[in-house]
Amino acid sequence: MASTEQQSPATPPASTGGTKTSRWRSRAFRGLAYQVILVVVVLLVGGYLAGNTLENMRVRGIQSGFGFFLQPAGFGIGESMIEYDSSEPYWKAFVVGLSNTLRVAVVGIVLTTLFGTLLGIGRLSRNFLLRTLCTAYVELFRNVPVLLQLLMWYFVLTDWLPDMSAALNPVTGFFLSKNGLSFPIPVWSAGHFATLLGLGGGIAAAWWHARRARHAFEISGAQWPVLWPAIGMLVAGTLIGWLVGGMPGAIDMPERGELNISGGGAVTPEFIAVTMGLTIYTAAFVAEIVRSGIQAVPRGQSEAANSLGLSRAQNLRLVLLPQAMRVIIPPVTNQYLNLTKNSSLAVAIGYPDLVSISNTTLNQTGRAVECILVMMTVYLVLSLLTAALTNWYNTRMAIKER
Amino acid sequence: MAAANAMRSLIAARPAPPRTAGSLSWLRRNLFADWKNTLATLLVVAVLVDWLPFVIEWGIVDAVLRPDNAACRALEHAAACWGVIAEKYRLILFGRFPFAEQWRPLVGMVMMVGLLAVSCLPRMWNRWLPVAWVVLFTCFFVLMRGGFAGLSFVETAQWGGLPLTLLLSTLGLGAAFPLSILIALGRRSHLPAVRAFCIGYVELIRGIPLISVLFMASFMFPLFMPPGKTPDVLLRVFVGITLFAAAYLAEAIRGGLQAIPKGQFEAADSLGLTYWQAQRKVVLPQALRMVIPSIMNSFISTFKDTSLVTIVSLYDLTGSLGLALNGDANWRQFYFEGYLFIGLIYWIGCFSMSRYSQWIERRLAADAV
Amino acid sequence: MSDVIISFAKVNKWFGQFHVLRDIDLDVARGERIVICGPSGSGKSTLIRCINRLEEHQEGHLSVDGVELTDDVKAIEKVRREVGMVFQQFNLFPHLTVLENLTLAPTWVGKMPKKEAEERAMAQLERVRIAEQARKYPLQLSGGQQQRVAIARSLCLTPKIMLFDEPTSALDPEMIKEVLDVMIDLAGQGITMLCVTHEMGFARSVADRVIFMDQGQIIEQNSPTEFFANPRSDRTRDFLSKILSH
Ligand SMILES: Nc1ncnc2c1ncn2[C@@H]1O[C@H](COP(=O)(O)OP(=O)(O)OP(=O)(O)O)[C@@H](O)[C@H]1O
Ligand SMILES: [Mg+2]
């Protein structure tokens, strides 16, 4: 094709005579033909399946449409962050399921990041024992199916722990039993508004301090301490707000009753098992990513930084981490997504996430197509959002080359 | 000065001073380099000293090995009851397959593992290998189903345990592999419709959890079929796993295709190879070689993922553990030991695959030089 | 001997059991320009990397501008500020612009105001004739340009000593000259230079002394004229014949 164009640049290739043109034509034609065939096949198969589905639904008397989402669900949900009872419509149940999925995902992602990063750095430690221990962890947990791990943790939490009446009390205010973990929470009172305001003030002050420190650094090269003063300001602001608000001190402590634990906040063993299992599993992968990301920065970078007199901390902060992060962040986001998708395994231990709600709904109403479609769409939207975010990050942070 | 230094007799190499080499210096550098390091060492040692004896006592010294329910119960979880494995291993390993006929899945499994081992050797990678696998799968099916020559008929719903896990992962991957190559090529095609279709497929599948695909396989596939026909559960799940694995494999392979220099395509074109010839002879051999680690990663994932079929009520290794213990009030409390047992089986599979992946990568890199 | 700026006294180093530097005795005078050559693996890089403690020696004494190099972190930091180093592979920071590469050490290590650091960085870039590239990223430049940026970067802290580890070995022939020109300029300005290179033309025109290393030891050292005209040991002769044959 290129040669045709070179021979007669003035005329479009299609109009040049001879065998070359017909070859070009036949190539284009073949391409078109492939595509038409593909489209036709996809349409035919899709049509066939859709036809069968409609026919089957007619035969079995299954109704279709999303109207049933407005009908009362009629089943209760064990745990929910939003108000819900069984008389509320199906769509509300789905929202509860989604919120439960997101709760596991968010808590899991935060814990995985912390834990995985520590493990990854541990794998590069100069200390032989620490290094070996971290490697053993990674090799152990990433090579066993996550479902199995979830089931195992759930079994341990619900079978090995004592009944509520004999709940373990490792630290004052915390009770651990077959029914989950109870912990103290502060009781909300008007005075807490002042505390929040104080915290806001602290954040503002810390931000202002960081700005001034930066300015000073640029003007005079003076390096002010930033981290500790900022933390101090946060704490002081919160404390002052709390004092001004009249020192609201009521804390809802869980207490041991005759048979059960009452009061305080609580999480179910299902939630603990899912979050813990996913964290332990995903952290092993994150650790590998962190390790290889740090190792991906060439040794020469550290050597150059050292030869310029940068300290170890400066080298880490100004040279190594900015480069390692670019390698680490995209695959880690992918792991976050995996964690979110794996939270669907909660269905196996009865944590009411999106998948188990749609599973229950499906069994109750028989609306397989609708339930599965909703479930898939939600996950797809989450994935696409994350992918868009990752792409944006990648283009923004890409190291500029020729 | 220069002149005085100009000639010097050669200095022979000396061994390093013991302070900086040898096991003592190794200890110093790796365990006690500075105070932080020493602290870490002491902490780790403290934890190990605290836990190791307990783990050893729990798992080995005090454990009950006999399938003796009373002895196990007497332990009250203070030590492991491996007796549960001794009692239930047939059920765990073979699921609901008729007890007297369990030699059939055993033979099938041994054949499969054997061929798997043979397939690992690069020397064996030729056109006969796929043929061998087809033959193996046929034999496996015939043997498992029976219904001839005195072998009783065993329906697929009764297949279970480790053979099922192995079957789903190998057959699923076997079917997904060619599909994924097509998809990966399609994703780089110049034809917009083909490319759009492949991108859509891959992104769709990668965006949803496997469990939703399996739900689809078990609840929606029956609706897709002509009325009155319901395909076998095993077949449906197999299709689901294949479609799912293909998307991930395709992405792995696309990575290799992307890494191939443009010059290779141009060289193939200039030799007059057709599109398919170029892909088969020039592009794919290089691309696949390059992405062996990520392909192996997909294999490992798929092997682990087969445990999810439990949720749509197939009795693979994970499922048949439930089968073995759920219904038996005497042994139900020893689930943990059961989980450890099948966890170990999965772990051996995955760990050896990841080691194999490292080995083959080094080996092929050495060959290429 | 106040004019000795670097002094090696019976310095020995091992990599594991491999004896890579053997009884190195070497005094470098202030302002002296030394070229080090020798076969691959002879320990040239290791020798100069000991000077800013990228490698640590295990026996003997090594002091730089009156500071003895030991485990003392403060001493190491002090020495590193006075010693600039240029690497074969440039080792520019790819995530920072050329200008940011140059101002990084002056602001963070030298505690210099940003404005001043930028002005001085621009002056250094002028010096290596590359000021117009200040806002680009390193990987957008050619190899020769990158190496000149690397030289400018190491000059920003006004070091007393410059170390070069085969600065032109990774460059295409037409870029070697632009880097050598910059180095020759530098040599004319009285800075102490130690340069590992096989550019014998450079050695002839610039060096005060040429050192030949083999198997971790200094085999021969002499003024360039003597060194090239009358090599004393067979090894040197052998090496020179190989390297000058083309
Ligand atoms: N970090 C290290 N660990 C172990 N051995 C090393 C290390 N660095 C260098 N060596 C070995 O020490 C010897 C001297 O290395 P060095 O880099 O100093 O040689 P060189 O004279 O600079 O050679 P070249 O001209 O190839 O750069 C070589 O045999 C090398 O293999
Ligand atoms: Mg070298």
Side-chain angles (χ1 to χ4, degrees), chain C residues 44-46 88 165-166 196:
Chain C
K44 310 178 294 290
S45 301
T46 313
Q88 181 175 353
D165 192 357
E166 308 205 27
V196 176

Side-chain angles (χ1 to χ4, degrees), chain A residues 56-222:
Chain A
N56 274 318
M57 285 162 100
R58 198 184 54 75
V59 169
R60 300 187 198 177
I62 307 174
Q63 292 168 331
S64 61
F66 289 88
F68 78 95
F69 269 104
L70 299 174
Q71 294 161 10
F75 59 86
I77 299 180
E79 54 185 314
S80 162
M81 290 192 295
I82 33 188
E83 290 287 314
Y84 172 85
D85 68 65
S86 59
S87 65
E88 305 215 38
Y90 279 113
W91 68 264
K92 190 78 183 284
F94 272 78
V95 172
V96 172
L98 177 61
S99 73
N100 280 337
T101 295
L102 291 179
R103 178 158 72 130
V104 167
V106 169
V107 177
I109 283 172
V110 171
L111 293 179
T112 301
T113 310
L114 292 176
F115 193 35
T117 310
L118 286 181
L119 278 170
I121 295 173
R123 284 205 63 184
L124 294 172
S125 161
R126 283 192 299 171
N127 187 298
F128 170 77
L129 277 178
L130 206 60
R131 202 162 63 215
T132 318
L133 209 64
C134 292
T135 311
Y137 175 94
V138 168
E139 292 296 358
L140 180 64
F141 285 103
R142 72 172 175 176
N143 284 324
V144 176
V146 61
L147 174 65
L148 193 62
Q149 298 190 33
L150 291 187
L151 291 171
M152 194 176 87
W153 293 124
Y154 186 59
F155 176 79
V156 169
L157 284 172
T158 51
D159 201 81
W160 286 15
L161 286 178
D163 284 328
M164 225 177 184
S165 54
L168 301 177
N169 190 1
V171 191
T172 346
F174 290 81
F175 291 94
L176 193 58
S177 73
K178 273 186 174 42
N179 295 55
L181 177 72
S182 297
F183 49 87
I185 43 167
V187 180
W188 178 259
S189 72
H192 281 302
F193 272 118
T195 318
L196 281 184
L197 273 179
L199 178 67
I203 293 176
W207 180 74
W208 180 73
H209 172 73
R211 247 181 70 121
R212 280 209 19 189
R214 208 187 134 114
H215 193 65
F217 174 65
E218 286 181 358
I219 293 299
S220 66

